[in-house]
Amino acid sequence: MSDDISKILSDAAQLPETETLKTDAVVGKTFTVLDARSVETQYGTSWVATIDLDGATVEAWLNGAVVDRQLTAIVDAGKLPVTVTMTRDESRYGNPFTLLA
């Protein structure tokens, strides 16, 4: 069993490192949020989500005060996975990021 775990760990260490996409990278794109978790950062609470973007499963930061409230409501309601489009609301102060169904 120890040999199995050693091989799994060794194989995983050889996989290429993936970069978590910044929120700006998904603005204007439609994707499916498969999983999301809140994390505490130096700037407060942010969200990291596993998303399906154009058929590829990647991680992305989904930041912003409005997005925080939206993801909290979606996760609390047990509504994942959900397909959304990330936008910027140009009509509101600060042009906040917003998720649209």
Side-chain angles (χ1 to χ4, degrees):
M1 180 147 181
S2 175
D3 289 339
D4 290 340
I5 297 299
S6 294
K7 179 160 178 26
I8 290 169
L9 293 173
S10 176
D11 290 349
Q14 300 306 313
L15 293 174
E17 195 171 322
T18 58
E19 185 174 324
T20 303
L21 299 175
K22 292 182 171 41
T23 305
D24 284 333
V26 296
V27 171
K29 298 185 187 234
T30 299
F31 52 89
T32 301
V33 179
L34 304 172
D35 183 54
R37 64 195 177 282
S38 62
V39 294
E40 290 302 319
T41 70
Q42 65 188 22
Y43 304 108
T45 303
S46 293
W47 286 83
V48 176
T50 304
I51 65 172
D52 181 326
L53 178 63
D54 300 328
T57 301
V58 297
E59 285 201 330
W61 289 100
L62 301 180
N63 294 324
V66 174
V67 171
D68 176 44
R69 292 191 303 271
Q70 292 175 311
L71 284 174
T72 298
I74 289 167
V75 170
D76 287 352
K79 296 297 184 183
L80 292 178
V82 62
T83 300
V84 295
T85 302
M86 177 68 77
T87 65
R88 302 266 344 220
D89 188 345
E90 302 294 332
S91 69
R92 294 176 63 183
Y93 176 77
N95 305 325
F97 294 109
T98 306
L99 297 173
L100 300 176

